[in-house]
């Protein structure tokens, strides 16, 4: 699941951009963020990003590979184990994926 998120960040960040992975612990949860300086996702497309087989238009096309299942699977895994996943994005500025894992 994490591999998919990191691979997406790398895939959609142009040369010279960056991908940052950070973690913290708050409110009994481990919080992991993967932030990139990539192409971003429009606000119109963002609500659908976890839908199975959903692929955004433009640069996130089939030419870059993928089936549109990765984020749907990641969300299912996180929810199955009591965690959550959220995505914030701005076109042209990048995307941040936040994973919240229940602490043990």
């Amino acid at each position: 699941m994490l591999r998919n998120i990191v691979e997406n960040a790398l895939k959609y960040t142009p040369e010279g951009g960056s991908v940052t992975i950070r973690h913290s612990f708050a409110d009994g949860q481990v919080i992991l963020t993967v932030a990139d300086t990539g192409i971003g996702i429009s606000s119109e497309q963002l609500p659908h990003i976890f839908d199975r087989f959903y692929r955004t238009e433009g640069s996130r096309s089939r030419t870059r590979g993928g089936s549109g299942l990765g984020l749907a699977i990641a969300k299912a895994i996180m929810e199955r184990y009591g965690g959550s996943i959220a995505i914030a994005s701005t076109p042209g500025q990048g995307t941040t994926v936040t994973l919240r894992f229940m602490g043990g």
Side-chain angles (χ1 to χ4, degrees):
M1 183 257 327
L2 181 57
R3 179 180 176 172
N4 174 264
I5 292 166
V6 172
E7 284 179 350
N8 280 349
L10 293 169
K11 185 186 305 184
Y12 298 112
T13 299
E15 189 172 329
S18 65
V19 174
T20 305
I21 302 171
R22 290 195 166 99
H23 73 281
S24 61
F25 186 77
D27 300 323
Q29 297 181 331
V30 175
I31 303 166
L32 183 80
T33 59
V34 178
D36 66 55
T37 58
I39 62 173
I41 305 165
S42 74
S43 59
E44 294 82 22
Q45 296 171 341
L46 209 50
H48 307 285
I49 205 72
F50 295 113
D51 295 347
R52 288 179 13 186
F53 303 112
Y54 182 78
R55 300 179 54 80
T56 61
E57 297 174 13
S59 295
R60 292 178 178 260
S61 68
R62 256 216 177 301
T63 59
R64 295 220 183 202
S67 62
L69 285 172
L71 290 176
I73 292 169
K75 182 177 181 184
I77 291 169
M78 291 302 294
E79 289 177 349
R80 168 69 175 92
Y81 291 100
S84 66
I85 181 172
I87 297 181
S89 189
T90 303
Q93 294 183 17
T95 300
T96 299
V97 178
T98 303
L99 302 167
R100 293 181 176 270
F101 298 88
M102 294 307 296

